[in-house]
Amino acid sequence: MTPDTEWWRCELLFFAGIIAWTFVEYLLHRFVLHRIPRIRDMHEAHHRDQQALIKTPTFVSGPAYLVLLVSPLWWGGGLAFAFSLAAGFLFGYLWYVTVHHLVHHRPARQGSLFFALKRRHALHHHVTREGNFGVTSGVWDRVFGTDIQPRRNPRRAQPNGRRLAER
Ligand SMILES: [Zn+2]
Ligand SMILES: [Zn+2]
């Protein structure tokens, strides 16, 4: 239904949806999964047993996605706007689920990007729960000062993150 001339806008919105997801991923992990009582218990179960299948049922996440995201976007900006942005958001979410599964179930080659993602999430699990809330990237942790860096040289501070020696 969207005219061809509008496709570039749909593509931009799709990528904006992916970026928006990374921010929501950070906020959800920091302020919902670790703070809201019953949800925190579910997340604690994941922290205790990292390979267990602990998930939100689709009958909860699906309607929440439609009611909290798609409907207001549709109401505010129309069908093409809502679906383009929401599709990018959903893509970001599925990417997050995939990365989070892989960091807990697959080995990583040292020096690879996947190794860096796996290590930063391991620091969240094993060193402090007050940092490295982003799973697919560390961008928002750096923006909000919650980025935790591994200690490479105990005598030198890490300029862009807190030292593990301080914990
Ligand atoms: Zn995890
Ligand atoms: Zn956590």
mmCIF file with all atom_site columns, all heavy atoms in Angstrom, residues 92-103:
data_model
loop_
_atom_site.group_PDB
_atom_site.id
_atom_site.type_symbol
_atom_site.label_atom_id
_atom_site.label_alt_id
_atom_site.label_comp_id
_atom_site.label_asym_id
_atom_site.label_entity_id
_atom_site.label_seq_id
_atom_site.pdbx_PDB_ins_code
_atom_site.Cartn_x
_atom_site.Cartn_y
_atom_site.Cartn_z
_atom_site.occupancy
_atom_site.B_iso_or_equiv
_atom_site.pdbx_formal_charge
_atom_site.auth_seq_id
_atom_site.auth_comp_id
_atom_site.auth_asym_id
_atom_site.auth_atom_id
_atom_site.pdbx_PDB_model_num
ATOM 1   N N   . GLY A 1 92  ? 15.622 -5.905  15.801 1.00 0.00 ? 92  GLY A N   1
ATOM 2   C CA  . GLY A 1 92  ? 16.613 -5.675  16.861 1.00 0.00 ? 92  GLY A CA  1
ATOM 3   C C   . GLY A 1 92  ? 16.405 -6.614  18.029 1.00 0.00 ? 92  GLY A C   1
ATOM 4   O O   . GLY A 1 92  ? 17.359 -7.163  18.579 1.00 0.00 ? 92  GLY A O   1
ATOM 5   N N   . TYR A 1 93  ? 15.144 -6.822  18.396 1.00 0.00 ? 93  TYR A N   1
ATOM 6   C CA  . TYR A 1 93  ? 14.830 -7.721  19.506 1.00 0.00 ? 93  TYR A CA  1
ATOM 7   C C   . TYR A 1 93  ? 15.263 -9.158  19.184 1.00 0.00 ? 93  TYR A C   1
ATOM 8   O O   . TYR A 1 93  ? 15.868 -9.840  20.007 1.00 0.00 ? 93  TYR A O   1
ATOM 9   C CB  . TYR A 1 93  ? 13.328 -7.678  19.809 1.00 0.00 ? 93  TYR A CB  1
ATOM 10  C CG  . TYR A 1 93  ? 12.888 -8.752  20.764 1.00 0.00 ? 93  TYR A CG  1
ATOM 11  C CD1 . TYR A 1 93  ? 13.238 -8.697  22.104 1.00 0.00 ? 93  TYR A CD1 1
ATOM 12  C CD2 . TYR A 1 93  ? 12.157 -9.854  20.314 1.00 0.00 ? 93  TYR A CD2 1
ATOM 13  C CE1 . TYR A 1 93  ? 12.868 -9.700  22.987 1.00 0.00 ? 93  TYR A CE1 1
ATOM 14  C CE2 . TYR A 1 93  ? 11.782 -10.865 21.188 1.00 0.00 ? 93  TYR A CE2 1
ATOM 15  C CZ  . TYR A 1 93  ? 12.131 -10.779 22.517 1.00 0.00 ? 93  TYR A CZ  1
ATOM 16  O OH  . TYR A 1 93  ? 11.771 -11.780 23.374 1.00 0.00 ? 93  TYR A OH  1
ATOM 17  N N   . LEU A 1 94  ? 14.955 -9.609  17.955 1.00 0.00 ? 94  LEU A N   1
ATOM 18  C CA  . LEU A 1 94  ? 15.332 -10.978 17.580 1.00 0.00 ? 94  LEU A CA  1
ATOM 19  C C   . LEU A 1 94  ? 16.852 -11.131 17.518 1.00 0.00 ? 94  LEU A C   1
ATOM 20  O O   . LEU A 1 94  ? 17.396 -12.183 17.861 1.00 0.00 ? 94  LEU A O   1
ATOM 21  C CB  . LEU A 1 94  ? 14.685 -11.352 16.234 1.00 0.00 ? 94  LEU A CB  1
ATOM 22  C CG  . LEU A 1 94  ? 13.157 -11.452 16.271 1.00 0.00 ? 94  LEU A CG  1
ATOM 23  C CD1 . LEU A 1 94  ? 12.595 -11.668 14.872 1.00 0.00 ? 94  LEU A CD1 1
ATOM 24  C CD2 . LEU A 1 94  ? 12.705 -12.569 17.205 1.00 0.00 ? 94  LEU A CD2 1
ATOM 25  N N   . TRP A 1 95  ? 17.532 -10.073 17.094 1.00 0.00 ? 95  TRP A N   1
ATOM 26  C CA  . TRP A 1 95  ? 19.000 -10.084 17.083 1.00 0.00 ? 95  TRP A CA  1
ATOM 27  C C   . TRP A 1 95  ? 19.524 -10.206 18.520 1.00 0.00 ? 95  TRP A C   1
ATOM 28  O O   . TRP A 1 95  ? 20.442 -10.973 18.803 1.00 0.00 ? 95  TRP A O   1
ATOM 29  C CB  . TRP A 1 95  ? 19.518 -8.817  16.397 1.00 0.00 ? 95  TRP A CB  1
ATOM 30  C CG  . TRP A 1 95  ? 21.000 -8.685  16.389 1.00 0.00 ? 95  TRP A CG  1
ATOM 31  C CD1 . TRP A 1 95  ? 21.758 -7.713  16.982 1.00 0.00 ? 95  TRP A CD1 1
ATOM 32  C CD2 . TRP A 1 95  ? 21.938 -9.555  15.744 1.00 0.00 ? 95  TRP A CD2 1
ATOM 33  N NE1 . TRP A 1 95  ? 23.085 -7.928  16.753 1.00 0.00 ? 95  TRP A NE1 1
ATOM 34  C CE2 . TRP A 1 95  ? 23.226 -9.056  16.011 1.00 0.00 ? 95  TRP A CE2 1
ATOM 35  C CE3 . TRP A 1 95  ? 21.796 -10.729 14.987 1.00 0.00 ? 95  TRP A CE3 1
ATOM 36  C CZ2 . TRP A 1 95  ? 24.386 -9.678  15.523 1.00 0.00 ? 95  TRP A CZ2 1
ATOM 37  C CZ3 . TRP A 1 95  ? 22.946 -11.350 14.511 1.00 0.00 ? 95  TRP A CZ3 1
ATOM 38  C CH2 . TRP A 1 95  ? 24.222 -10.821 14.781 1.00 0.00 ? 95  TRP A CH2 1
ATOM 39  N N   . TYR A 1 96  ? 18.908 -9.464  19.426 1.00 0.00 ? 96  TYR A N   1
ATOM 40  C CA  . TYR A 1 96  ? 19.290 -9.524  20.843 1.00 0.00 ? 96  TYR A CA  1
ATOM 41  C C   . TYR A 1 96  ? 19.094 -10.939 21.401 1.00 0.00 ? 96  TYR A C   1
ATOM 42  O O   . TYR A 1 96  ? 19.976 -11.483 22.069 1.00 0.00 ? 96  TYR A O   1
ATOM 43  C CB  . TYR A 1 96  ? 18.460 -8.511  21.643 1.00 0.00 ? 96  TYR A CB  1
ATOM 44  C CG  . TYR A 1 96  ? 18.277 -8.862  23.094 1.00 0.00 ? 96  TYR A CG  1
ATOM 45  C CD1 . TYR A 1 96  ? 19.314 -8.676  24.012 1.00 0.00 ? 96  TYR A CD1 1
ATOM 46  C CD2 . TYR A 1 96  ? 17.072 -9.401  23.562 1.00 0.00 ? 96  TYR A CD2 1
ATOM 47  C CE1 . TYR A 1 96  ? 19.154 -9.012  25.347 1.00 0.00 ? 96  TYR A CE1 1
ATOM 48  C CE2 . TYR A 1 96  ? 16.902 -9.735  24.883 1.00 0.00 ? 96  TYR A CE2 1
ATOM 49  C CZ  . TYR A 1 96  ? 17.945 -9.550  25.778 1.00 0.00 ? 96  TYR A CZ  1
ATOM 50  O OH  . TYR A 1 96  ? 17.779 -9.907  27.091 1.00 0.00 ? 96  TYR A OH  1
ATOM 51  N N   . VAL A 1 97  ? 17.936 -11.528 21.124 1.00 0.00 ? 97  VAL A N   1
ATOM 52  C CA  . VAL A 1 97  ? 17.647 -12.881 21.635 1.00 0.00 ? 97  VAL A CA  1
ATOM 53  C C   . VAL A 1 97  ? 18.681 -13.865 21.099 1.00 0.00 ? 97  VAL A C   1
ATOM 54  O O   . VAL A 1 97  ? 19.188 -14.727 21.828 1.00 0.00 ? 97  VAL A O   1
ATOM 55  C CB  . VAL A 1 97  ? 16.211 -13.310 21.223 1.00 0.00 ? 97  VAL A CB  1
ATOM 56  C CG1 . VAL A 1 97  ? 15.968 -14.763 21.548 1.00 0.00 ? 97  VAL A CG1 1
ATOM 57  C CG2 . VAL A 1 97  ? 15.182 -12.450 21.926 1.00 0.00 ? 97  VAL A CG2 1
ATOM 58  N N   . THR A 1 98  ? 19.009 -13.716 19.810 1.00 0.00 ? 98  THR A N   1
ATOM 59  C CA  . THR A 1 98  ? 19.990 -14.620 19.192 1.00 0.00 ? 98  THR A CA  1
ATOM 60  C C   . THR A 1 98  ? 21.368 -14.444 19.821 1.00 0.00 ? 98  THR A C   1
ATOM 61  O O   . THR A 1 98  ? 22.023 -15.426 20.203 1.00 0.00 ? 98  THR A O   1
ATOM 62  C CB  . THR A 1 98  ? 20.070 -14.334 17.668 1.00 0.00 ? 98  THR A CB  1
ATOM 63  O OG1 . THR A 1 98  ? 18.752 -14.472 17.121 1.00 0.00 ? 98  THR A OG1 1
ATOM 64  C CG2 . THR A 1 98  ? 21.018 -15.289 16.975 1.00 0.00 ? 98  THR A CG2 1
ATOM 65  N N   . VAL A 1 99  ? 21.808 -13.183 19.952 1.00 0.00 ? 99  VAL A N   1
ATOM 66  C CA  . VAL A 1 99  ? 23.137 -12.921 20.527 1.00 0.00 ? 99  VAL A CA  1
ATOM 67  C C   . VAL A 1 99  ? 23.187 -13.421 21.970 1.00 0.00 ? 99  VAL A C   1
ATOM 68  O O   . VAL A 1 99  ? 24.155 -14.077 22.378 1.00 0.00 ? 99  VAL A O   1
ATOM 69  C CB  . VAL A 1 99  ? 23.473 -11.415 20.455 1.00 0.00 ? 99  VAL A CB  1
ATOM 70  C CG1 . VAL A 1 99  ? 24.714 -11.083 21.276 1.00 0.00 ? 99  VAL A CG1 1
ATOM 71  C CG2 . VAL A 1 99  ? 23.666 -10.987 19.008 1.00 0.00 ? 99  VAL A CG2 1
ATOM 72  N N   . HIS A 1 100 ? 22.144 -13.145 22.739 1.00 0.00 ? 100 HIS A N   1
ATOM 73  C CA  . HIS A 1 100 ? 22.142 -13.566 24.145 1.00 0.00 ? 100 HIS A CA  1
ATOM 74  C C   . HIS A 1 100 ? 22.198 -15.089 24.255 1.00 0.00 ? 100 HIS A C   1
ATOM 75  O O   . HIS A 1 100 ? 22.898 -15.634 25.117 1.00 0.00 ? 100 HIS A O   1
ATOM 76  C CB  . HIS A 1 100 ? 20.899 -13.013 24.852 1.00 0.00 ? 100 HIS A CB  1
ATOM 77  C CG  . HIS A 1 100 ? 20.956 -13.171 26.342 1.00 0.00 ? 100 HIS A CG  1
ATOM 78  N ND1 . HIS A 1 100 ? 19.858 -13.297 27.116 1.00 0.00 ? 100 HIS A ND1 1
ATOM 79  C CD2 . HIS A 1 100 ? 22.016 -13.227 27.202 1.00 0.00 ? 100 HIS A CD2 1
ATOM 80  C CE1 . HIS A 1 100 ? 20.215 -13.426 28.393 1.00 0.00 ? 100 HIS A CE1 1
ATOM 81  N NE2 . HIS A 1 100 ? 21.527 -13.388 28.466 1.00 0.00 ? 100 HIS A NE2 1
ATOM 82  N N   . HIS A 1 101 ? 21.479 -15.780 23.386 1.00 0.00 ? 101 HIS A N   1
ATOM 83  C CA  . HIS A 1 101 ? 21.541 -17.247 23.396 1.00 0.00 ? 101 HIS A CA  1
ATOM 84  C C   . HIS A 1 101 ? 22.961 -17.716 23.056 1.00 0.00 ? 101 HIS A C   1
ATOM 85  O O   . HIS A 1 101 ? 23.525 -18.563 23.742 1.00 0.00 ? 101 HIS A O   1
ATOM 86  C CB  . HIS A 1 101 ? 20.542 -17.819 22.385 1.00 0.00 ? 101 HIS A CB  1
ATOM 87  C CG  . HIS A 1 101 ? 20.611 -19.314 22.282 1.00 0.00 ? 101 HIS A CG  1
ATOM 88  N ND1 . HIS A 1 101 ? 19.973 -20.145 23.175 1.00 0.00 ? 101 HIS A ND1 1
ATOM 89  C CD2 . HIS A 1 101 ? 21.265 -20.118 21.414 1.00 0.00 ? 101 HIS A CD2 1
ATOM 90  C CE1 . HIS A 1 101 ? 20.229 -21.402 22.861 1.00 0.00 ? 101 HIS A CE1 1
ATOM 91  N NE2 . HIS A 1 101 ? 21.009 -21.417 21.787 1.00 0.00 ? 101 HIS A NE2 1
ATOM 92  N N   . LEU A 1 102 ? 23.542 -17.130 21.998 1.00 0.00 ? 102 LEU A N   1
ATOM 93  C CA  . LEU A 1 102 ? 24.854 -17.582 21.533 1.00 0.00 ? 102 LEU A CA  1
ATOM 94  C C   . LEU A 1 102 ? 25.948 -17.305 22.569 1.00 0.00 ? 102 LEU A C   1
ATOM 95  O O   . LEU A 1 102 ? 26.848 -18.134 22.749 1.00 0.00 ? 102 LEU A O   1
ATOM 96  C CB  . LEU A 1 102 ? 25.208 -16.929 20.199 1.00 0.00 ? 102 LEU A CB  1
ATOM 97  C CG  . LEU A 1 102 ? 24.336 -17.366 19.001 1.00 0.00 ? 102 LEU A CG  1
ATOM 98  C CD1 . LEU A 1 102 ? 24.712 -16.583 17.753 1.00 0.00 ? 102 LEU A CD1 1
ATOM 99  C CD2 . LEU A 1 102 ? 24.455 -18.868 18.744 1.00 0.00 ? 102 LEU A CD2 1
ATOM 100 N N   . VAL A 1 103 ? 25.909 -16.147 23.241 1.00 0.00 ? 103 VAL A N   1
ATOM 101 C CA  . VAL A 1 103 ? 26.980 -15.858 24.205 1.00 0.00 ? 103 VAL A CA  1
ATOM 102 C C   . VAL A 1 103 ? 26.973 -16.849 25.364 1.00 0.00 ? 103 VAL A C   1
ATOM 103 O O   . VAL A 1 103 ? 28.004 -17.062 26.001 1.00 0.00 ? 103 VAL A O   1
ATOM 104 C CB  . VAL A 1 103 ? 26.954 -14.403 24.760 1.00 0.00 ? 103 VAL A CB  1
ATOM 105 C CG1 . VAL A 1 103 ? 27.161 -13.381 23.666 1.00 0.00 ? 103 VAL A CG1 1
ATOM 106 C CG2 . VAL A 1 103 ? 25.693 -14.111 25.548 1.00 0.00 ? 103 VAL A CG2 1
#
